[in-house]
């Protein structure tokens, strides 16, 4: 009886243990299974926990006799790999392990990890005991980490992970390139101070601010491997562990050297543009005054003897007026508002033509060398080209008070995409380079930074206007070129002017025969808002026999034209006027008198009748200040034109 009681107790304990194991198996977050494969028969799952319903979306009872519902869930691209792994396990009796995808009706694509320990039965069947778990989240995390790592490795931004002292533990390839090294290993473990110039050092607030705020950002001057300095924007974030202690620093670095240069260039351009607008306005008013001075002077010269002290004084005034007119042209050239007449030029021929004049400017103690490299032709205003050479010669002479050498040289160069990227505003292609170099005193970095600013000069008061280089910069830019200057105190200066090379032949220059002032009897309409200029022009034209009707504004002139039926032969108008500019006035007059000829007379046109400094097609223009002879000749030329 005691033996029977003991056996019953053991069976009860075994049942309880089996029930407990079954309950525990159902709680495991995965499928615990038995899988049997009998040669020549269907494989099946004699046992699988309820998790099979969650992980494979298959009822465990559906695979007791046939494993097909489970294998039907395996992704087609992974099915062969799973079968091969199981087959290899059956052959070697080694455990099988692999990760594979399943395509589930409700959950879609999931990643699973399967493992199983095989054993061979006496009937030749192979039985596996194992489990399958869902590893989708872990696979996604691994893939995310892989992509993040790949992104950091391929990022154009320099990135570093360092210890709390700033010593790099990891740097990406962009960091290696930025600091000019070859391999990551050359940078790992180096002190933070090794990456900046010793004479400048690190920002003193970096670590303190970082520890207080968990981040720091600012601009730092860095030093490459070869010692070259560059500006970099640094963003640093502190990484803390579960206890709150800082364990690592994560930093990114952005090279801002080029952007700072471009920003400074933009600010300089905006500053010059503002001064240019001011210069244009001054030139407009000043040219009106000079027109009156020059015109009255011409009238006065006609009434004085051909010889004598009074005439000499008047001629002196005339020369001063002409110099003032040249000054306003420099203002307009600087502001790129000068009206130009570009022609196809050979700069080598221009240099040879003005060589004797330049030598007189330089003096006997300065040697002048002219080297014509046969660089080809450019499209440039000939007057501006000569003025540029004279201005540079004057500057060179002042920089060589004890003598020296000035060299003018032309060369053909090609500006590629890389040059254009660093020097915006220039198109790539073939250029003629005009280099003007002296052996003078040179310029300090501070002077060099202001070289092309208007009214900036290092000369004594009364020794210069400060417009020479500004005029050169404006004139070259207006003609689609670029000017650069290289200089060092005590080592001379070299100006390099790049002008687009053209294939056309040089424009021939026609000589105009001298003529007596022509007269006429036609009726002219004059619109000029400056009273003094208006009165002077009336006097000039009436002396030549013309009938002149003058008005101070466009609306007044239009109202008068509408009230008369008499013919009008020519409209002479200023360009910049209140209420209505000259171009709009001409258009309105043309509707009232179709085909009327128009002569614009102005000292400043803004962009009303020009495009990029060139007169629009069909526009006739007379620049202020002008002489009575120039006005008379232009009026007669227009009136005599057919059509």
């Amino acid at each position: 009886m005691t033996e029977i009681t003991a056996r019953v107790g053991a069976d009860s304990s075994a049942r309880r243990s089996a029930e407990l194991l079954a309950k525990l198996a159902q709680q495991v977050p995965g499928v615990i299974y038995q899988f049997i494969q009998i040669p020549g028969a269907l494989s099946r799952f004699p046992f699988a926990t309820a998790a099979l319903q969650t992980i494979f979306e298959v009822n465990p009872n559906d695979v007791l006799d046939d494993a097909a519902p489970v294998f039907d869930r395996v992704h087609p691209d992974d099915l062969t790999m799973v079968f091969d792994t199981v087959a290899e396990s059956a052959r070697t009796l080694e455990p099988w392990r692999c990760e594979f995808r399943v395509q589930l009706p409700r959950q879609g694509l999931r990643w699973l990890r399967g493992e199983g320990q095989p054993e061979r039965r006496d009937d030749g069947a192979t039985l596996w005991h194992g489990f399958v778990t869902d590893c989708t989240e872990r696979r996604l995390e691994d893939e995310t980490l892989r992509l993040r790592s790949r992104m950091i490795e391929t990022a154009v931004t320099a990135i570093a992970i360092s210890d709390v002292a700033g010593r790099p533990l990891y740097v990406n390839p962009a960091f290696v390139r930025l600091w000019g090294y070859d391999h990551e290993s050359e940078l790992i473990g180096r002190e933070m101070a090794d990456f900046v110039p010793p004479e400048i050092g690190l920002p003193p607030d970096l670590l303190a601010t970082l520890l207080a705020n968990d981040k720091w950002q600012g601009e730092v001057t860095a030093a490459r491997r070869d010692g070259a300095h560059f500006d970099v924007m640094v963003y640093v974030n502190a990484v803390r562990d579960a206890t709150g202690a800082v364990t690592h620093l994560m930093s990114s670095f952005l090279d801002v050297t080029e952007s700072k240069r471009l920003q400074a260039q933009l600010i300089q351009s905006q500053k010059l543009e503002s001064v240019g607008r001011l210069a244009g306005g001054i030139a407009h008013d000043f040219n009106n005054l000079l027109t009156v001075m020059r015109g009255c002077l011409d009238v006065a010269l006609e009434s004085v003897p051909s010889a004598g002290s009074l005439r000499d004084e008047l001629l002196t005034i005339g020369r001063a007026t002409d110099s003032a007119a040249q000054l306003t042209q420099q203002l307009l050239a600087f502001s790129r508002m000068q009206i130009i007449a570009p022609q196809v030029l050979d700069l080598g021929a221009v240099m040879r033509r003005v060589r004797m004049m330049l030598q007189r400017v330089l003096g006997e103690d300065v040697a002048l060398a002219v080297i014509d490299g046969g660089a080809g032709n450019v499209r440039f205003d000939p007057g501006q080209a000569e003025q540029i050479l004279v201005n540079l010669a004057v500057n060179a002479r002042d920089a060589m008070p004890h003598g020296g050498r000035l060299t003018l040289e032309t060369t053909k160069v090609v500006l590629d995409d890389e040059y254009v990227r660093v020097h915006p505003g220039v198109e790539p292609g073939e250029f003629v380079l005009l280099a003007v170099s002296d052996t003078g005193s040179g310029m300090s970095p501070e002077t060099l930074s202001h070289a092309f600013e208007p009214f900036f000069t290092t000369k004594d008061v009364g020794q210069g206007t400060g417009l020479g280089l500004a005029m050169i910069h404006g004139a070259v830019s207006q003609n689609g070129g670029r000017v650069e200057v290289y200089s060092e105190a005590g080592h001379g200066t070299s100006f390099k002017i790049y002008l687009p090379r053209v294939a056309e032949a040089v424009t021939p220059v026609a000589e105009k025969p001298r003529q007596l002032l022509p007269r006429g009897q036609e009726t002219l309409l004059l619109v000029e808002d400056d009273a003094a200029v208006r009165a002077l022009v009336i006097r000039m034209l009436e002396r030549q026999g013309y009938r002149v009707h003058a008005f101070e504004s466009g609306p007044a002139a239009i109202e008068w034209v509408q009230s008369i039926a008499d013919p009008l032969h020519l409209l002479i108008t200023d360009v910049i006027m209140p209420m209505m500019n000259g171009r709009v006035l001409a258009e309105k007059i043309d509707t009232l008198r179709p085909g009327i000829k128009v002569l614009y007379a102005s000292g400043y046109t803004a962009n009303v009748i020009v495009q990029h400094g060139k007169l629009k097609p069909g526009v006739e223009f007379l620049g202020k200040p002008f002489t009575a002879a120039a006005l008379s000749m232009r009026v007669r030329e227009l009136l005599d034109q057919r059509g």
Side-chain angles (χ1 to χ4, degrees), residues 406-464:
L406 177 66
T407 302
L408 313 181
E409 182 176 6
T410 59
T411 311
K412 185 178 79 171
V413 297
V414 176
L415 302 184
D416 56 16
D417 292 334
E418 179 61 23
Y419 180 92
V420 172
R421 185 188 67 80
V422 180
H423 302 85
V426 178
E427 296 294 330
E430 291 187 347
F431 283 73
V432 173
L433 168 60
L434 169 62
V436 181
S437 307
D438 66 57
T439 59
S441 56
M443 291 184 269
S444 67
E446 173 65 18
T447 300
L448 192 61
S449 67
H450 298 285
F452 296 112
E453 291 184 9
F455 309 115
F456 176 82
T457 179
T458 58
K459 300 174 184 178
D460 295 335
V461 176
Q463 297 297 310

Side-chain angles (χ1 to χ4, degrees), residues 31-352:
V31 180
I32 298 177
Y33 70 89
Q34 283 184 329
F35 173 66
I36 188 169
Q37 192 176 54
I38 303 173
L42 293 174
S43 60
R44 59 191 180 87
F45 288 90
F47 172 78
T49 58
L52 190 74
Q53 182 71 56
T54 302
I55 291 182
F56 282 93
E57 295 185 9
V58 173
N59 191 305
N61 294 325
D62 294 341
V63 293
L64 293 175
D65 298 321
D66 186 359
V70 166
F71 290 112
D72 287 346
R73 297 287 193 253
V74 178
H75 193 283
D77 292 343
D78 294 350
L79 190 60
T80 300
M81 180 266 296
V82 172
F83 282 158
D84 289 347
T85 305
V86 172
E88 181 68 11
S89 177
R91 187 182 66 81
T92 62
L93 295 182
E94 294 291 331
W96 80 277
R97 297 183 181 87
C98 71
E99 293 185 359
F100 56 93
R101 294 168 293 173
V102 291
Q103 188 70 46
L104 306 179
R106 290 186 296 103
Q107 301 175 67
L109 187 68
R110 306 290 293 178
W111 276 94
L112 304 181
R113 176 179 175 81
E115 296 189 20
Q117 178 64 50
E119 64 179 61
R120 189 88 69 205
R121 296 198 322 185
D122 292 341
D123 60 0
T126 306
L127 177 68
W128 282 270
H129 304 273
F131 62 90
V132 178
T133 56
D134 189 317
C135 62
T136 304
E137 300 305 322
R138 193 260 303 161
R139 290 285 302 217
L140 291 176
E141 290 177 0
D142 289 348
E143 181 65 12
T144 300
L145 289 174
R146 187 188 70 80
L147 290 175
R148 287 177 178 173
S149 176
R150 178 62 177 163
M151 181 175 65
I152 292 174
E153 284 289 310
T154 59
V156 296
T157 302
I159 298 172
I161 301 174
S162 59
D163 61 19
V164 293
R167 292 182 289 263
L169 304 174
Y170 163 82
V171 293
N172 71 342
F175 187 101
V176 177
R177 291 192 301 270
L178 182 58
W179 263 268
Y181 287 83
D182 298 320
H183 304 287
E184 175 186 350
S185 59
E186 299 175 272
L187 298 163
I188 301 303
R190 302 190 66 162
E191 297 296 331
M192 192 186 306
D194 293 343
F195 299 101
V196 297
E199 67 273 17
I200 298 177
L202 291 163
D205 65 331
L206 196 160
L207 287 177
T209 303
L210 181 62
L211 295 176
N213 303 313
D214 279 355
K215 62 182 179 180
W216 182 90
Q217 70 178 56
E219 188 177 305
V220 174
T221 299
R224 291 192 172 88
R225 183 181 193 176
D226 60 4
H229 293 187
F230 65 102
D231 297 317
V232 62
M233 196 67 186
V234 183
Y235 304 86
V236 188
N237 289 278
V239 179
R240 297 181 182 271
D241 61 15
T243 67
V246 176
T247 59
H248 296 86
L249 304 178
M250 295 194 65
S251 310
S252 61
F253 308 82
L254 181 63
D255 187 349
V256 296
T257 308
E258 180 64 12
S259 63
K260 286 182 64 178
R261 187 190 70 79
L262 292 175
Q263 183 181 25
Q265 190 177 61
L266 175 61
I267 292 173
Q268 177 74 353
S269 176
Q270 291 172 336
K271 180 167 63 173
L272 293 179
E273 183 179 354
S274 298
V275 177
R277 286 195 296 268
L278 173 63
I282 293 174
H284 174 264
D285 294 339
F286 198 41
N287 277 325
N288 277 338
L289 295 173
L290 290 174
T291 299
V292 176
M293 295 178 190
R294 182 77 249 189
C296 292
L297 182 63
D298 289 343
V299 173
L301 284 170
E302 292 179 5
S303 59
V304 299
S306 58
S309 59
L310 178 58
R311 188 175 188 85
D312 291 341
E313 296 294 342
L314 291 176
L315 291 174
T316 300
I317 295 173
R319 287 190 291 271
T321 304
D322 292 341
S323 296
Q326 291 178 2
L327 185 59
T328 60
Q329 288 303 303
Q330 286 185 319
L331 279 170
L332 292 173
F334 149 70
S335 59
R336 307 182 199 179
M337 295 174 182
Q338 183 182 22
I339 293 181
I340 58 177
Q343 299 177 10
V344 178
L345 302 175
D346 175 0
L347 287 182
V350 174
M351 291 190 305
R352 291 190 296 273

Side-chain angles (χ1 to χ4, degrees), residues 527-540:
V527 184
E528 168 62 62
D529 62 305
D530 187 287
V533 175
R534 189 168 63 251
L536 176 65
V537 174
I538 292 172
R539 192 185 341 165
M540 288 178 173

